Amino acid sequence: MTEPFLSVVVPVYNDPAGVRETLRSLTEQRCSADRYEVLVVDNDSTDWTTDVIDEFAERYPNLVVGLSETDVQSSYAARNTGIEHARANVIAFVDADMTVEPTWVDAVCDVFERSSVDYLGYEVELYVPDGESTFWAQYDLTTGLPVRHYLRTKRFAPTCALAVRATVFDEVGRFDESLVSGGDKEFGRRVDDAGFAMGFEASITVRHPARTTFRAHVKKARRIGRGQAQLWERHGLATHPLSPTRILPPSPWRIRSRTRGLDSFLTVYLAAYVLKLIQSWYLCLHGLRRIRHTSR
């Protein structure tokens, strides 16, 4: 069997509709099927997600491989399982609710074939699903996922827009699967410290649905808050959970640069501050628990 050049790892948990759209886009690539493989890793779903994975694995037996990660409930653990089974020289990650263009596989392969880049980030295009145009959807579009900025200033790309040579994992290890958030940042720092070549390709885009409800944004803020606490405690990659900076308002210049009108700026700024306070609340809770634990 011919070895693929690209392995695409898709972690999923309880998202049958999302993973269906992701697999549809990944199986409709214009390149030859032997150029890549799709490894879908179910993270112990409790609904019919595995039925969707089985359906695509049966329809595309030489392309789609269904895997499972049931020991650790973590998207990073699921990604690590995909890495373990990947056969290709390059491994890319796509979240289970994302879609890619029919030329995406060729575009990713071309960058790695024509350059010496080891770690590649690219654009994330957020869009509002039909019939779900709410304030919170527009807020998500406004704040976005500035992958180029993350790479330039923080030396990492989010896993939803990341492709890495397999040899990088051999040297620096895989993702820290104990983290609930921030594993992409921690991994990126290890890659940068090891001296691997990091790059960004603006011509490659993945599409991600915007979060359209306050509840969805709160859920994200809670997860990031817990992840920040873990990054501080385990890797020293975040400020102290009880630092006063955690309750300071966000930079108005950063918010203004992403909004056009004064009304939009004020509303988005207030929303950003509320979500930051929610993150900080969960950070503070973790810090207090940590202090009580160490004082015993």
Side-chain angles (χ1 to χ4, degrees):
M1 180 183 295
T2 303
E3 295 294 310
F5 184 84
L6 179 70
S7 293
V8 185
V9 175
V10 183
V12 59
Y13 173 71
N14 283 356
D15 191 4
V19 77
R20 180 180 294 279
E21 282 302 295
T22 301
L23 291 177
R24 177 196 57 76
S25 70
L26 286 171
T27 55
E28 292 179 353
Q29 295 295 297
R30 292 176 184 168
C31 65
S32 171
D34 60 8
R35 189 162 170 75
Y36 70 113
E37 64 178 355
V38 180
L39 307 175
V40 197
V41 188
D42 177 68
N43 199 197
D44 208 15
S45 294
T46 58
D47 58 11
W48 56 93
T49 294
T50 55
D51 294 337
V52 176
I53 297 173
D54 291 343
E55 174 190 331
F56 276 85
E58 292 174 5
R59 191 186 308 173
Y60 302 95
N62 297 321
L63 178 60
V64 177
V65 179
L67 302 169
S68 65
E69 169 53 57
T70 59
D71 292 334
V72 180
Q73 186 67 60
S74 160
S75 64
Y76 300 115
R79 293 184 182 100
N80 284 344
T81 296
I83 294 168
E84 180 182 353
H85 289 83
R87 297 185 294 127
N89 296 323
V90 177
I91 304 172
F93 303 93
V94 178
D95 287 354
D97 54 355
M98 302 180 71
T99 55
V100 298
E101 295 298 319
T103 56
W104 180 79
V105 166
D106 272 339
V108 173
C109 292
D110 180 62
V111 172
F112 283 92
E113 288 174 330
R114 63 179 168 78
S115 74
S116 59
V117 68
D118 300 303
Y119 176 104
L120 182 72
Y122 30 84
E123 295 283 3
V124 177
E125 177 188 342
L126 294 175
Y127 68 93
V128 180
D130 292 341
E132 299 185 48
S133 184
T134 64
F135 163 77
W136 290 105
Q138 294 304 316
Y139 172 84
D140 216 14
L141 294 184
T142 299
T143 53
L145 269 172
V147 181
R148 187 197 297 266
H149 172 76
Y150 291 156
L151 270 167
R152 184 177 67 251
T153 63
K154 301 181 181 181
R155 307 306 291 163
F156 83 96
T159 45
C160 65
L162 176 66
V164 184
R165 291 192 192 273
T167 51
V168 173
F169 294 105
D170 294 336
E171 180 163 336
V172 307
R174 300 171 187 171
F175 296 106
D176 180 348
E177 57 191 43
S178 70
L179 299 174
V180 298
S181 178
D184 42 13
K185 179 178 180 179
E186 190 276 326
F187 175 70
R189 290 296 182 90
R190 276 188 276 137
V191 173
D192 190 42
D193 289 344
F196 286 101
M198 297 177 127
F200 177 81
E201 181 54 60
S203 66
I204 300 176
T205 301
V206 291
R207 302 186 75 236
H208 195 303
R211 291 174 175 83
T212 60
T213 66
F214 178 60
R215 180 178 181 180
H217 283 277
V218 169
K219 182 179 179 181
K220 176 184 177 182
R222 292 172 59 184
R223 175 172 51 81
I224 291 176
R226 293 195 299 269
Q228 285 284 303
Q230 291 176 321
L231 284 174
W232 162 75
E233 180 182 349
R234 301 173 190 179
H235 301 288
L237 291 178
T239 57
H240 194 286
L242 302 182
S243 169
T245 61
R246 291 291 185 181
I247 60 173
L248 292 177
S251 166
W253 294 275
R254 178 174 61 85
I255 302 300
R256 185 179 287 280
S257 68
R258 299 181 184 181
T259 57
R260 296 181 179 179
L262 181 62
D263 292 341
S264 176
F265 163 72
L266 290 175
T267 307
V268 170
Y269 187 79
L270 179 60
Y273 190 26
V274 168
L275 293 174
K276 179 179 179 179
L277 290 176
I278 292 172
Q279 282 186 33
S280 299
W281 171 249
Y282 281 89
L283 272 161
C284 183
L285 285 178
H286 180 93
L288 290 173
R289 292 193 189 106
R290 182 66 177 171
I291 290 172
R292 285 199 297 266
H293 177 75
T294 55
S295 64
R296 290 175 181 174

